[in-house]
Amino acid sequence: MEQEIHHGDREPALVAAIDLGSNSFHMIVARTDQGEIRLLDRLGKKVQLGAGLNKESILQDDAIERGLDCLAEFSQYLNGKTFKAVRIVGTNALRKAKNARAFLEKAREVLPYPIEIIAGREEARLIYLGVAQTQANDDQRLVVDIGGGSTEFIIGEKFEPKLLESLHMGCVSFTEGFFKGGTITPERFHRAYCAARLELLNIEKPYRQHGWVDVLGSSGSIKAVSSILAATDGTDIITVDALKKLKETVLSFGQFERLRIPGLRPERQGILPAGLAILLASFDALGIDNLHYSEGALREGVLYDMMGRDQHENVRERTVNALMTRYRVNLVDADNVKAHALNCFKQAQQAWELSDKQDLPLVLWAARLCTIGLDISHTRFNCHGAYIIRHSDLLGFSKSQQKQLALLIEGHRRSVPMAAISACLESDAERLIKLIVLLRLASLLNHSNVSAGSIDYRLVVGDKHIAFSFPKGWLKAHSLTKADFERECYYLEKTGYQLDVF
């Protein structure tokens, strides 16, 4: 989630996007001016976070330190400047790391902004958005992005992705898997190539059938190949023949440390063979004729996505609407729960220090989606709904947002999942309980057929106390609502909250 910092009218509206990749960390800084983004600065550093994952998917201490050192440099750059928004996303290495939470807690001490760990398809969507912003034509295009731990393939038109996929292959992970020790042999290269072809099997047919006009590539490995071809052949167009020729050149060196090719930067020596194997396999599997390098990538996509949210071009709203349609949500009930949730939120916001930007959207999305589990079964439908949210690819949402949304949906009725909430970051746990309480009250009102706006109820909250009052005599005349709220007192007591209803 992006963090807002208010600034005076005379100061420039600065925004920053940071992507914590498996190979490198990058930051891009821009100024927003009348709806346009003007790039000001780029910073990047090779961290190889992915190389720091052991066989049990635990980030090792030295990799964590490399990451924190880089974030300290970014923090120094950001310090003293006023930013409208800063958004940080983590990709494959942090998706895989079992101790990602420990890294996030340490990172927050160095760089005081939230870090979103995003799903592979969400990464693909943001990459496509970043690439599309750099292109003049609107033809249907295929985008290939080879990262450190994953490779994304997207087919889209204009700014809209049509097919999205993130495959488990990257230049860092393949280097660890096939070129350990820095030795380059035809056999090792062939094994890496075949592994990439196997990963590509699932998307070959649908992607070829869909088709495209242009092919664009982004990120470090493709940029490295493009730079080599520009330095050696005088062209930056990547073709199959050029890749095969480069492959033979790379194999002739035998060792990473000996790789000396015009246009190749020293820091790319150790990951070029793996990236080249993945790129060549992608060309062969998808029948790509030629590819052009694009400067736009994930961090640019994050930047433009922030702008899109400000301008109400919000992909998260489309995702929520699609879920409601797919799982046949009753729109009348959903709107009623949402209206009650908004009313309860506004009455509790100041006392509970809740945020319009972070907390309000979360509780309203949950209000609209809390019954999606009914399409599976009425029994424990809140748990079915939480499972759907937790395990779906929700475009526009980070992994953390999905987890929190799932907890709200699971906790909106019956017992509150306190064990799962306590496993969240300490700063999030108490806030989530408060949002769950508000959602539960909204759901109770809808369950009792109380239409939003039909009565003037009052909600007063304290630290662990909730007082809910109906108009005089109303509760006595509505026994179902009274029974619902009396049972709710019992459930909330287990969370440490006291509910008084009158």
Side-chain angles (χ1 to χ4, degrees):
M1 284 167 252
E2 58 265 36
Q3 177 163 327
E4 284 286 326
I5 304 178
H6 296 290
H7 51 81
D9 292 338
R10 296 182 181 179
E11 296 177 350
L14 298 178
V15 291
I18 299 173
D19 83 86
L20 311 182
S22 299
N23 184 51
S24 302
F25 287 5
H26 291 275
M27 178 168 71
I28 186 170
V29 178
R31 176 182 298 159
T32 59
D33 184 13
Q34 297 182 351
E36 293 185 347
I37 291 179
R38 300 177 183 274
L39 300 183
L40 299 178
D41 215 343
R42 297 175 185 266
L43 288 82
K45 187 173 183 179
K46 183 179 179 181
V47 173
Q48 289 209 305
L49 201 65
L53 286 169
N54 65 16
K55 292 181 179 180
E56 288 75 39
S57 294
I58 301 295
L59 272 177
Q60 301 300 286
D61 290 343
D62 56 344
I64 291 175
E65 286 304 313
R66 291 196 301 270
L68 296 178
D69 288 345
C70 181
L71 293 182
E73 294 178 17
F74 289 172
S75 180
Q76 183 179 347
Y77 181 97
L78 296 173
N79 192 31
K81 298 179 178 67
T82 302
F83 282 84
K84 176 186 177 184
V86 175
R87 188 179 177 198
I88 311 172
V89 299
T91 58
N92 188 264
L94 289 174
R95 284 197 291 268
K96 292 176 64 177
K98 293 179 180 177
N99 59 334
R101 175 176 172 176
F103 175 82
L104 296 183
E105 290 174 341
K106 292 179 180 179
R108 191 66 182 264
E109 296 175 3
V110 175
L111 189 60
Y113 298 94
I115 297 174
E116 307 171 43
I117 301 177
I118 55 176
R121 286 182 179 169
E122 172 64 2
E123 182 180 354
R125 182 188 72 85
L126 292 170
I127 287 168
Y128 180 81
L129 182 58
V131 171
Q133 293 288 346
T134 67
Q135 303 305 305
N137 69 72
D138 293 328
D139 291 334
Q140 191 154 264
R141 59 179 72 95
L142 167 67
V143 174
V144 181
D145 184 288
I146 301 174
S150 63
T151 298
E152 281 66 46
F153 297 86
I154 314 99
I155 295 178
E157 189 173 356
K158 297 182 180 178
F159 299 108
E160 193 69 28
K162 307 294 184 183
L163 295 179
L164 294 161
E165 196 54 77
S166 177
L167 301 184
H168 298 293
M169 55 185 189
C171 58
V172 173
S173 59
F174 266 41
T175 297
E176 291 292 307
F178 301 102
F179 299 98
K180 198 77 172 177
T183 300
I184 314 166
T185 66
E187 293 76 20
R188 289 186 173 202
F189 192 94
H190 183 68
R191 285 172 54 218
Y193 170 88
C194 289
R197 286 300 301 266
L198 288 173
E199 283 288 328
L200 284 153
L201 277 177
N202 288 331
I203 72 167
E204 282 185 31
K205 187 175 181 180
Y207 273 62
R208 280 176 175 263
Q209 286 178 340
H210 198 283
W212 54 80
V213 176
D214 297 318
V215 185
L216 299 165
S218 57
S219 293
S221 289
I222 292 177
K223 181 179 181 180
V225 172
S226 179
S227 298
I228 290 169
L229 296 182
T232 56
D233 298 341
T235 177
D236 58 357
I237 301 174
I238 302 174
T239 65
V240 175
D241 290 340
L243 289 178
K244 290 179 178 177
K245 180 181 176 183
L246 180 56
K247 168 191 168 183
E248 296 306 318
T249 301
V250 169
L251 289 175
S252 69
F253 287 95
Q255 293 287 334
F256 289 171
E257 60 188 26
R258 297 176 189 165
L259 270 174
R260 298 290 187 274
I261 305 175
L264 177 64
R265 294 184 299 170
E267 62 267 26
R268 303 296 308 186
Q269 285 177 312
I271 51 179
L272 176 65
L276 183 58
I278 293 170
L279 186 56
L280 187 55
S282 301
F283 265 67
D284 290 346
L286 300 177
I288 298 171
D289 296 320
N290 58 72
L291 176 151
H292 295 260
Y293 171 69
S294 166
E295 286 288 347
L298 175 60
R299 52 202 166 275
E300 287 80 11
V302 171
L303 208 58
Y304 283 101
D305 194 53
M306 285 194 289
M307 284 289 292
R309 291 179 185 182
D310 287 343
Q311 297 167 1
H312 308 292
E313 299 163 4
N314 197 330
V315 69
R316 292 178 293 185
E317 283 299 311
R318 295 203 301 270
T319 297
V320 170
N321 289 334
L323 282 169
M324 293 174 71
T325 300
R326 184 183 310 156
Y327 294 101
R328 294 176 284 195
V329 169
N330 184 310
L331 299 182
V332 174
D333 281 346
D335 285 344
N336 199 42
V337 177
K338 177 184 175 182
H340 283 306
L342 177 61
N343 191 13
C344 291
F345 183 93
K346 290 300 182 184
Q347 294 188 56
Q349 181 176 11
Q350 185 174 357
W352 275 354
E353 298 180 339
L354 301 175
S355 160
D356 275 334
K357 191 162 186 69
Q358 180 179 8
D359 300 321
L360 180 57
L362 191 65
V363 77
L364 296 186
W365 289 324
R368 293 162 65 194
L369 295 172
C370 62
T371 60
I372 60 173
L374 283 172
D375 202 47
I376 298 174
S377 171
H378 184 275
T379 304
R380 301 179 73 241
F381 73 84
N382 55 318
C383 298
H384 298 314
Y387 183 90
I388 291 169
I389 295 299
R390 195 173 285 118
H391 296 284
S392 297
D393 283 326
L394 302 187
L395 297 184
F397 289 87
S398 68
K399 285 291 189 183
S400 174
Q401 287 172 323
Q402 280 189 233
K403 181 180 179 181
Q404 292 180 24
L405 186 56
L407 286 172
L408 261 66
I409 290 172
E410 182 178 353
H412 89 276
R413 66 190 294 268
R414 305 294 184 183
S415 297
V416 178
M418 294 301 293
I421 292 171
S422 63
C424 296
L425 293 175
E426 186 177 344
S427 58
D428 289 330
E430 196 60 41
R431 177 179 63 86
L432 287 173
I433 294 176
K434 291 173 180 176
L435 296 182
I436 285 174
V437 168
L438 299 179
L439 181 60
R440 291 175 72 94
L441 294 174
S443 299
L444 282 178
L445 290 166
N446 181 69
H447 185 248
S448 301
N449 294 321
V450 178
S451 298
S454 63
I455 58 171
D456 186 23
Y457 54 81
R458 287 285 179 262
L459 176 63
V460 179
V461 300
D463 183 29
K464 297 274 187 177
H465 181 258
I466 307 117
F468 200 100
S469 60
F470 290 94
K472 186 176 180 180
W474 190 93
L475 194 61
K476 185 177 181 180
H478 294 80
S479 57
L480 176 61
T481 305
K482 182 179 180 181
D484 258 354
F485 272 81
E486 285 175 350
R487 184 170 56 178
E488 184 63 14
C489 294
Y490 164 75
Y491 282 121
L492 290 186
E493 187 178 356
K494 292 185 176 182
T495 71
Y497 280 72
Q498 179 185 340
L499 172 63
D500 293 324
V501 185
F502 49 92

